[in-house]
């Protein structure tokens, strides 16, 4: 993972690099660093542990000032080597070459041994340092920085996006990408590179999205791109429709809070042009969708984290609504086994970023091994690696999600998966007009229902107070609510560091009930469905063990009040589509307010990153 930014411009580049780095912090914030080529042709560097603001402070104190028109910068999520100044990028070799890297060089140990034997000294524990030494070595026999980089990348196993500058080639920044994202931004201030468009939105809307294996030589007035065979190639310039204010906090205290409250609009945007008042439009999934869906006999979903939890809900929907056999697995496991993939499988990837390495690699490896399958991605980023690798694309239109903890991505993924369940059900004649109209009606009611649920925030703030001294929590749910319980537990552990686990309520008695004591709150979700009575019995089992309980119920569920139990009615008449999407809202708010009480860094919780582009 990690975020990189760089460029060459007419003025001092340092402020542009720092402001871009702040926007890339969602990719990691263990350390940050910058290297700028000064006017007297020297590489000047600053690095600091922690967030970009620490780097900024250190730069302000530095004399002489770090300034110049050519530079690269990096925000790190540690993989090889602890978060420390020594391990922070950019790395420099012999004061002449400097590199920022996102990805992992898997054969770095072998390269390191060879380079040590050649006399290169290592100052960090990172895999990246071999890159800078390789380039330095290759420059001795190459006619340009570009040629040296094209030569060395062929010796790397693993993934990389690279930004490289050298005092021997002032005026050039050279980039390469394979397996990690990299874009070029074109502005009247100069030419820039970054891991993501958001880093450059202040200065440009014009971007080139590099493809796998591309390298590019960038100067103030030129951008020359080469494909994986080192042949010069044209790549289209696209105009981004991302708005700068979409990534500003506005009146909110945290991005997570803003994104929770954006959900009614995010769902509206996701549904727009995809449904009429009573039908789901198959065209929303692309030209060939109808044929592909009609021929689909099995579904395999792969995803990670929150996106995996959305897929868990979808498994219920796809089997219940579309009657389509559906499996789901976390991508990091799926990619490393030999799964049996039946012909006519639709392989669905779900991802906010579209860059999660495990999901992407799982998709690539299955595509390579199985020809008679089709692929669909449900993704929030139009120009991402997953959208490029997939035949069918359904964008979630949640807008940029900055907070590491996913919220609006999850609910828009669910809305998209509900559309998909109906679409596939229609192609297989499992969904009649009446059922379709009723599901579309539920989807249309979602923004209003979410808004109403958000209005109950003050009650949730009260509930959050009781978590102040808690170290463990248990979430319970049955059916799709088990997936929602998992997502609720993930949110709480991610941002408040309370150890939280979710269980199917019926499974409690087979082991997890041993964990229950008065200091372990139990949070249960009680929709008014066919499993309600079973859930009520499970709640009795918990109550007998003296735990503090919080139950989020449908008003019609009528969970009987018990000692040490708070029952909060969310709304009423939620159905199989609306219930999972609505019941996650109080759990998101609960985690947010518990995190505030615990005083954690809500948007940037420790050890995490939003987009994990390494294994
Ligand atoms: C990281 C994030 C999670 C996210 C997961 C999958 O681990 O911290 O919040 O759910 O990646 O990300 P994706 O972009 O593929 O949905």
């Amino acid at each position: 993972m990690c975020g990189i930014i760089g460029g060459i411009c007419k003025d001092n580049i340092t402020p542009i690099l720092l402001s871009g780095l702040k926007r890339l912090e969602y990719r990691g914030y263990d350390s940050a660093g910058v290297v700028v080529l000064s006017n007297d042709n020297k590489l000047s560097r600053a690095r600091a542990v922690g967030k970009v603001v620490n780097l900024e402070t250190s730069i302000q104190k530095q004399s002489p000032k770090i300034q110049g028109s050519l530079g690269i910068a990096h925000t790190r999520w540690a993989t090889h080597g602890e978060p420390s100044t020594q391990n922070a990028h950019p790395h420099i070799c012999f004061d002449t070459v400097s590199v920022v890297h996102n990805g992992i060089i898997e054969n770095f140990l072998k390269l390191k041994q060879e380079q040590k034997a050649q006399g290169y000294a290592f100052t960090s524990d990172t895999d990246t340092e071999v890159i800078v030494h390789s380039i330095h070595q290759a420059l001795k026999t190459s006619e340009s920085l570009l040629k040296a980089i094209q030569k060395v990348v062929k010796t790397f196993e693993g993934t990389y996006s690279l930004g490289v500058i050298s005092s021997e080639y002032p005026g050039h920044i050279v980039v390469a990408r394979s397996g990690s994202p990299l874009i070029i931004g074109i502005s009247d201030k100069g030419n820039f590179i970054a891991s993501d468009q958001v880093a450059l939105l202040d200065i440009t809307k014009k971007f080139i999205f590099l493809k796998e294996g591309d390298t590019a030589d960038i100067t103030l007035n030129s951008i020359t791109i080469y494909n994986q065979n080192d042949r010069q190639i044209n790549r289209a310039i696209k105009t981004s429709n991302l708005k700068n204010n979409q990534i500003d906090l506005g009146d909110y205290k945290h991005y997570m809070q803003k994104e929770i409250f954006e959900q009614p609009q995010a769902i509206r945007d996701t549904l727009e042009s995809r449904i009429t008042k009573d039908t789901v439009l198959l065209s929303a999934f692309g030209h060939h969708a109808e044929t592909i869906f009609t021929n689909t006999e099995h579904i395999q979903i792969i995803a990670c984290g929150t996106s995996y939890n959305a897929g868990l809900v979808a498994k219920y929907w796809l089997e219940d609504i579309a009657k389509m056999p559906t499996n789901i697995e976390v991508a990091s496991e799926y990619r490393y086994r030999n799964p049996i993939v039946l012909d006519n499988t639709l392989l669905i990837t779900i991802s906010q970023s579209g860059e999660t390495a495990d999901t992407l690699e799982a998709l690539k490896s299955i595509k390579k091994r199985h020809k008679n399958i089709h692929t669909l991605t449900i993704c929030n980023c139009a120009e991402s690696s997953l959208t490029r690798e997939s035949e069918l694309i359904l964008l979630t239109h949640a807008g940029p999600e900055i907070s590491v903890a996913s919220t609006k991505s999850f609910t828009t993924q669910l809305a998209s998966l509900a559309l998909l369940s109906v679409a596939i059900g229609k192609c297989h004649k499992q969904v009649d007009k009446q059922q379709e109209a009723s599901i579309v009606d539920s989807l249309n009611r979602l923004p209003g229902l979410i808004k109403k649920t958000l209005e109950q925030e003050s009650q949730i703030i009260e509930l959050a107070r009781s978590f102040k001294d808690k170290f463990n929590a248990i979430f319970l749910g049955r059916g799709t609510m088990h997936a929602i319980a998992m997502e609720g537990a993930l949110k709480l552990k991610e941002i408040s560091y309370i150890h939280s686990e979710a269980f199917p309520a019926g499974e409690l008695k087979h082991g997890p009930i041993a964990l229950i004591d008065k200091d372990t709150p139990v949070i249960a979700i009680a929709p008014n469905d066919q499993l309600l009575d079973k859930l009520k019995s499970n709640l009795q089992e918990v109550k007998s063990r003296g735990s503090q309980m919080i139950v989020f119920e449908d008003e019609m569920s009528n969970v009987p009040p018990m000692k040490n139990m708070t029952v909060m009615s969310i709304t009423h008449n939620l159905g199989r589509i609306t219930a999972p999407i609505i019941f996650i809202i109080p759990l998101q708010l609960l985690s947010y307010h518990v995190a505030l009480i615990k005083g954690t860094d809500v948007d940037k919780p420790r050890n995490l990153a939003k987009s994990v582009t390494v294994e």
Side-chain angles (χ1 to χ4, degrees):
M1 68 208 199
C2 309
I4 69 180
I5 180 168
I8 175 154
C9 67
K10 294 173 187 157
D11 310 314
N12 177 21
I13 200 165
T14 311
I16 297 177
L17 297 180
L18 286 174
S19 107
L21 272 191
K22 284 186 187 155
R23 290 183 166 184
L24 288 173
E25 273 188 324
Y26 75 88
R27 303 179 64 84
Y29 34 82
D30 286 331
S31 65
V34 57
V35 161
V36 168
L37 190 68
S38 61
N39 292 341
D40 57 353
N41 211 27
K42 294 220 165 63
L43 295 176
S44 36
R45 172 166 71 176
R47 297 183 290 177
V49 174
K51 306 211 170 90
V52 177
V53 64
N54 299 351
L55 174 69
E56 200 169 32
T57 316
S58 124
I59 285 179
Q60 275 156 9
K61 289 187 196 142
Q62 208 150 320
S63 171
K65 289 272 168 252
I66 297 202
Q67 50 192 26
S69 54
L70 176 74
I72 48 177
H74 186 272
T75 179
R76 178 168 186 249
W77 186 74
T79 58
H80 294 62
E82 57 169 13
S84 67
T85 315
Q86 292 291 81
N87 289 332
H89 301 215
H91 291 284
I92 295 181
C93 181
F94 284 119
D95 290 333
T96 54
V97 188
S98 184
V99 166
V100 283
H101 168 219
N102 168 206
I104 291 181
I105 303 301
E106 287 176 342
N107 58 336
F108 84 101
L109 275 178
K110 184 174 163 274
L111 295 171
K112 193 167 177 171
Q113 274 163 5
E114 290 166 8
Q115 292 173 353
K116 273 186 173 169
Q118 289 160 354
Y120 283 101
F122 281 79
T123 57
S124 78
D125 302 319
T126 64
D127 52 327
T128 302
E129 215 180 336
V130 299
I131 302 176
V132 75
H133 296 327
S134 296
I135 298 170
H136 181 271
Q137 173 76 5
L139 274 172
K140 293 178 187 164
T141 52
S142 306
E143 66 201 54
S144 68
L145 184 58
L146 172 83
K147 290 267 185 244
I149 288 164
Q150 286 176 334
K151 190 166 169 188
V152 300
V153 290
K154 299 191 177 60
T155 66
F156 299 152
E157 287 162 23
T159 57
Y160 54 82
S161 55
L162 302 177
V164 188
I165 59 173
S166 164
S167 54
E168 287 172 16
Y169 294 91
H172 290 260
I173 174 163
V174 176
V175 297
R177 84 153 280 202
S178 179
S180 302
L182 197 68
I183 52 117
I184 298 174
I186 303 158
S187 114
D188 47 14
K189 290 192 161 120
N191 290 323
F192 300 87
I193 60 148
S195 303
D196 184 341
Q197 326 162 46
V198 296
L200 299 174
L201 278 184
D202 267 345
I203 45 176
T204 188
K205 288 275 175 84
K206 282 195 195 149
F207 296 103
I208 296 173
F209 296 87
L210 290 179
K211 297 215 162 135
E212 286 291 285
D214 280 358
T215 51
D217 188 359
I218 302 166
T219 67
L220 189 57
N221 303 311
S222 67
I223 296 169
T224 323
I225 302 174
Y226 302 82
N227 68 10
Q228 55 190 353
N229 303 319
D230 301 338
R231 286 231 179 84
Q232 197 177 326
I233 193 146
N234 281 329
R235 299 270 181 238
I237 300 175
K238 299 195 177 168
T239 305
S240 168
N241 53 16
L242 277 182
K243 293 194 191 73
N244 222 353
N245 64 6
Q246 282 179 293
I247 51 176
D248 288 336
L249 254 184
D251 291 336
Y252 291 97
K253 253 177 101 182
H254 297 102
Y255 281 106
M256 182 178 183
Q257 184 192 26
K258 176 178 185 249
E259 288 155 9
I260 288 174
F261 280 86
E262 278 173 350
Q263 288 178 107
Q265 189 56 43
I267 296 272
R268 245 179 247 122
D269 292 343
T270 299
L271 297 177
E272 194 191 308
S273 310
R274 289 164 173 176
I275 50 176
T276 66
K277 72 178 192 340
D278 51 12
T279 50
V280 171
L281 301 172
L282 280 170
S283 56
F285 296 87
H287 293 318
H288 306 299
E290 192 163 352
T291 321
I292 291 177
F293 291 168
T294 307
N295 292 331
T296 295
E297 291 172 15
H298 321 267
I299 287 177
Q300 174 68 53
I301 302 175
I302 42 178
C304 303
T306 290
S307 299
Y308 171 79
N309 291 338
L312 276 179
V313 175
K315 175 180 162 63
Y316 284 88
W317 285 344
L318 285 160
E319 296 202 333
D320 186 24
I321 298 167
K323 309 284 180 264
M324 184 58 64
T326 303
N327 286 321
I328 169 154
E329 192 165 333
V330 284
S332 53
E333 287 299 319
Y334 194 75
R335 63 180 285 201
Y336 287 117
R337 59 185 194 87
N338 288 315
I340 296 184
V341 181
L342 300 169
D343 282 354
N344 300 321
T345 289
L346 178 64
L347 185 67
I348 302 177
T349 52
I350 310 173
S351 173
Q352 188 285 128
S353 59
E355 301 294 348
T356 300
D358 284 322
T359 312
L360 181 63
E361 292 308 320
L363 170 63
K364 283 187 188 164
S365 76
I366 295 300
K367 267 172 59 180
K368 225 181 263 165
R369 281 185 281 159
H370 300 275
K371 297 295 165 217
N372 205 4
I373 62 159
H374 291 284
T375 58
L376 161 74
T377 189
I378 293 185
C379 187
N380 196 35
C381 296
E383 294 291 346
S384 63
S385 303
L386 271 181
T387 56
R388 273 193 288 273
E389 286 288 331
S390 305
E391 283 173 89
L392 302 178
I393 299 163
L394 190 67
L395 294 175
T396 44
H397 296 315
E401 193 180 62
I402 310 285
S403 168
V404 167
S406 254
T407 51
K408 60 178 179 169
S409 289
F410 181 69
T411 44
T412 53
Q413 283 167 352
L414 288 182
S416 307
L417 287 160
L419 293 176
L420 180 70
S421 306
V422 176
I424 295 183
K426 268 169 54 161
C427 292
H428 287 262
K429 309 216 175 340
Q430 296 293 343
V431 173
D432 62 25
K433 282 206 167 321
Q434 204 186 340
Q435 272 175 303
E436 183 177 5
S438 141
I439 293 175
V440 171
D441 175 60
S442 299
L443 289 168
N444 276 325
R445 283 190 299 119
L446 275 172
L449 287 171
I450 297 176
K451 190 164 170 284
K452 233 177 117 205
T453 310
L454 289 169
E455 282 163 13
Q456 290 172 289
E457 188 182 19
S458 54
Q459 287 159 265
I460 292 166
I461 295 174
E462 280 306 309
L463 292 178
R465 291 190 214 287
S466 62
F467 284 74
K468 187 168 181 294
D469 305 312
K470 298 292 186 282
F471 297 100
N472 300 295
I474 288 177
F475 288 72
L476 297 179
R478 303 191 71 129
T480 52
M481 292 308 139
H482 172 231
I484 296 307
M486 285 185 59
E487 176 58 12
L490 180 63
K491 288 291 86 87
L492 191 66
K493 71 176 81 138
E494 276 180 318
I495 60 167
S496 74
Y497 316 146
I498 291 177
H499 173 225
S500 326
E501 295 298 333
F503 301 104
E507 187 62 14
L508 198 66
K509 57 187 177 291
H510 298 298
I513 201 159
L515 297 172
I516 288 177
D517 61 23
K518 65 177 181 19
D519 296 319
T520 305
V522 174
I523 299 110
I525 313 160
N528 181 24
D529 61 13
Q530 72 282 11
L531 291 170
L532 179 63
D533 287 337
K534 306 257 176 250
L535 181 83
K536 284 180 179 168
S537 308
N538 301 142
L539 297 182
Q540 288 288 347
E541 292 158 14
V542 176
K543 182 207 151 206
S544 331
R545 271 82 195 174
S547 164
Q548 176 208 340
M549 270 191 283
I550 297 174
V551 181
F552 294 104
E553 67 155 14
D554 184 302
E555 245 169 66
M556 312 297 281
S557 295
N558 290 321
V559 174
M562 295 182 232
K563 196 171 161 234
N564 290 335
M565 179 197 277
T566 309
V567 181
M568 187 170 159
S569 297
I570 293 304
T571 175
H572 62 276
N573 276 335
L574 295 176
R576 63 182 164 176
I577 299 292
T578 44
I581 300 176
I582 296 304
F583 275 111
I584 193 58
I585 307 288
L587 301 187
Q588 294 170 343
L589 284 171
L590 182 68
S591 317
Y592 174 68
H593 286 290
V594 173
L596 289 190
I597 289 166
K598 292 265 183 187
T600 60
D601 190 341
V602 175
D603 285 332
K604 293 178 190 133
R606 70 184 180 202
N607 304 336
L608 297 180
K610 179 133 197 84
S611 178
V612 185
T613 53
V614 293
E615 286 187 44

